[in-house]
């Protein structure tokens, strides 16, 4: 038994390793936003987070969203929490507790791309984002990579079946 296994066993817990494919987690995304001062790059990091969550199975989704991001700014925090809640809800998964703690600016209409840009209609903004005052059109949360996978019929079952043969 390794030292790590012995320490985990002593706590009565189990150690589970989940392959996330080196995708950035919600906490990693917040760190990227903290380091990058360019709003266009920040907005792209949000799209990447959404794509990361769309492209993995339930265990990896949980692993990528379990750790709460360090607070950055109410708008960016709300965008991360809204994307996490939206993607987990779409997958039938519960959101971690930290997500419900992020209220954002409910009466706001913030768009991470540019100030003064025409905002999307409310019905095009996912409810978890809209409720936090973040106005991102759902279509903008689809990366070219995710769109390609959907068009090609890629899914995790096909990947699993291919790796099993």
């Amino acid at each position: 038994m390794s030292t790590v296994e012995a320490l985990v066993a002593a706590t009565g817990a189990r150690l589970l390793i989940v392959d996330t494919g080196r995708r950035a987690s919600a906490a990693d995304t917040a760190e990227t936003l903290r380091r990058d001062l360019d709003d266009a790059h920040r907005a792209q990091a949000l799209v990447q987070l959404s794509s990361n969550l769309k492209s993995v199975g339930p265990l990896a989704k949980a692993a990528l969203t379990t750790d709460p991001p360090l607070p950055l700014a109410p708008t960016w925090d709300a965008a991360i929490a809204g994307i996490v809640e939206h993607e987990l809800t779409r997958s039938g998964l519960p959101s971690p507790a930290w997500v419900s703690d992020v209220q954002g600016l409910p009466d706001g209409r913030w768009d991470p791309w540019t100030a003064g840009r025409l905002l999307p209609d409310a019905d095009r903004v996912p409810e978890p984002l809209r409720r936090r005052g973040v106005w991102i059109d759902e279509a903008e949360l689809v990366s070219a990579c995710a769109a390609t996978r959907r068009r090609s019929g890629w899914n995790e079952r096909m990947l699993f079946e291919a790796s099993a043969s």
Side-chain angles (χ1 to χ4, degrees), residues 83-158:
I83 288 169
V84 167
E85 181 181 343
H86 176 62
E87 295 303 338
L88 293 179
T89 299
R90 286 172 41 125
S91 298
L93 299 170
S95 295
W98 67 264
V99 170
S100 60
D101 293 340
V102 179
Q103 301 302 309
L105 304 170
D107 295 328
R109 287 186 170 214
W110 177 75
D111 172 2
W113 275 267
T114 73
R117 186 173 85 139
L118 193 59
L119 294 173
D121 292 334
D123 63 339
R124 297 185 55 86
V125 179
E127 192 274 334
L129 289 163
R130 192 175 59 244
R131 183 170 18 93
R132 291 174 172 90
V134 178
W135 287 69
I136 301 174
D137 189 315
E138 184 165 12
E140 292 176 313
L141 293 176
V142 179
S143 72
C145 181
T148 300
R149 280 195 297 270
R150 274 199 304 283
R151 281 194 303 272
S152 68
W154 178 91
N155 65 43
E156 290 176 334
R157 183 173 177 189
M158 289 171 61

